[in-house]
Amino acid sequence: MATPASVKRLHHQIALVTGGSSGIGAGVAEALAAEGATVFVNYSHSPDGAAEVVKKIEAAGGKAFAVHADVSKEDEVLAMFDEIRRQCGTLHILINNSGIQDDSPFLDMSLEKWQHVINVNLTGQFLCAREAAREFVRRGPQPEISRATGKIICMSSVHEVIPWAGHVNYATSKGGIMQLMKSMAQELAPQRIRVNSIGPGAIATPINLTARDTPEEEKSLLTLIPYGRIGEPADIGKVAVWLASDESDYVTGTTLFADGGMTLYPGFADNG
Ligand code: NAD
């Protein structure tokens, strides 16, 4: 039977968006809430940013809570999941979005910079995905709410496949997320847990402000985007809603690139 258009696609579902207090995470949190999900907006150091996103969601008629955790710290992640269970009983959707850049030429890259990025971008996604999967298995299927027992969506990047000089720690973390996502998808599919990634290209957020500082820098960035525009957080929000909804119920273990064609090797468009 077809779903009536008035039924929101994520009705009765509880979602957690890590790093939801800014940029892509904020856009995804708003998009999930607009489809009826109750959204936990995670922040590590920006309670005001998280409160702002919660306020925006509530003003639009949605439901949201701010929740603190540094995703690279196991005890804080465990406490965050306890808090979600305490407030709403369970979780249906994890958006593993928190991420940082801490760039350096390779020859000068300190162990500290390497570990900082790997700890947040890769270990943080592992810790949150493990706790989400444990919660999905503990709670079991709720087919009246969603065909899948749970959905995990990892925010990867075009840099899971495009190497990035000067950003070796970041590109390595995103390459790692690709195998983390696929291996989890393989292992968790029998429990009807779907795991996928989104691979954004250039999206206008605080993480890449310096790459868009001047008109010249923006023009240079656009040469990498065949579709001819820089993305917005809402572009990623729409993809996240689809991957979290039953519309994508047969999709697991894949990265959906939302990049205006950045992964199409635009340098080869005129015969290289
Ligand atoms: P952003 O800086 O606005 O968002 C990153 C978020 O992660 C922030 O809310 C920050 O507070 C949070 N965060 C940082 N360290 C944390 C920690 N230890 N614990 C919990 N949260 C932490 O930038 P963004 O562009 O919105 O980035 C979101 C995700 O999208 C990142 O994973 C990033 O790698 C990815 N991404 C962004 C782009 C882009 O062009 N903007 C492209 C590809 C991938």
Side-chain angles (χ1 to χ4, degrees):
M1 201 168 65
T3 313
S6 58
V7 173
K8 294 185 171 176
R9 286 180 285 175
L10 304 176
H11 205 45
H12 296 310
Q13 300 198 44
I14 316 295
L16 166 64
V17 182
T18 66
S21 60
S22 64
I24 290 174
V28 169
E30 287 164 32
L32 298 178
E35 285 293 340
T38 296
V39 181
F40 283 85
V41 178
N42 157 259
Y43 66 94
S44 57
H45 57 268
S46 173
D48 292 350
E52 196 61 37
V53 175
V54 168
K55 219 166 103 190
K56 220 168 151 187
I57 288 173
E58 288 173 345
K63 202 166 167 200
F65 303 93
V67 64
H68 173 264
D70 176 336
V71 296
S72 67
K73 302 210 166 102
E74 187 173 26
D75 56 337
E76 295 193 17
V77 170
L78 294 180
M80 172 168 67
F81 276 81
D82 283 344
E83 179 62 15
I84 292 169
R85 268 187 293 269
R86 195 186 64 75
Q87 293 208 50
C88 286
T90 189
L91 185 79
H92 301 93
I93 300 161
L94 167 67
I95 311 287
N96 240 342
N97 167 77
S98 293
I100 52 167
Q101 281 182 223
D102 194 356
D103 307 330
S104 160
F106 184 66
L107 294 183
D108 301 326
M109 188 170 285
S110 63
L111 179 59
E112 194 189 356
K113 266 185 192 285
W114 170 265
Q115 283 174 335
H116 183 205
V117 171
I118 297 295
N119 286 350
V120 175
N121 294 14
L122 188 54
T123 307
Q125 291 220 7
F126 155 69
L127 288 171
C128 293
R130 189 191 64 187
E131 290 318 301
R134 284 176 172 171
E135 173 54 29
F136 301 156
V137 170
R138 182 201 69 77
R139 186 236 311 133
Q142 286 181 319
E144 69 287 5
I145 288 183
S146 175
R147 294 183 75 181
T149 303
K151 282 90 50 151
I152 297 173
I153 298 166
C154 302
M155 204 57 70
S156 183
S157 163
V158 292
H159 295 296
E160 77 170 41
V161 291
I162 301 178
W164 206 13
H167 310 258
V168 163
N169 47 1
Y170 182 86
T172 303
S173 73
K174 297 300 183 180
I177 287 168
M178 178 175 64
Q179 281 298 349
L180 172 67
M181 177 276 288
K182 289 187 181 191
S183 302
M184 289 192 299
Q186 194 185 57
E187 189 165 338
L188 299 171
Q191 276 114 318
R192 311 248 354 200
I193 295 169
R194 296 194 293 113
V195 191
N196 292 288
S197 286
I198 300 174
I203 311 297
T205 73
I207 213 172
N208 55 19
L209 262 185
T210 51
R212 302 177 281 111
D213 250 358
T214 64
E216 293 73 38
E217 279 161 343
E218 184 156 330
K219 198 168 158 210
S220 152
L221 183 57
L222 283 170
T223 64
L224 301 174
I225 310 171
Y227 201 61
R229 73 170 172 89
I230 292 171
E232 299 293 332
D235 289 314
I236 306 303
K238 289 173 195 150
V239 176
V241 165
W242 184 75
L243 279 175
S245 76
D246 279 2
E247 288 173 11
S248 61
D249 188 57
Y250 210 49
V251 179
T252 193
T254 199
T255 298
L256 204 165
F257 288 103
D259 66 352
M262 199 178 240
T263 39
L264 297 175
Y265 299 95
F268 283 84
D270 58 2
N271 213 19

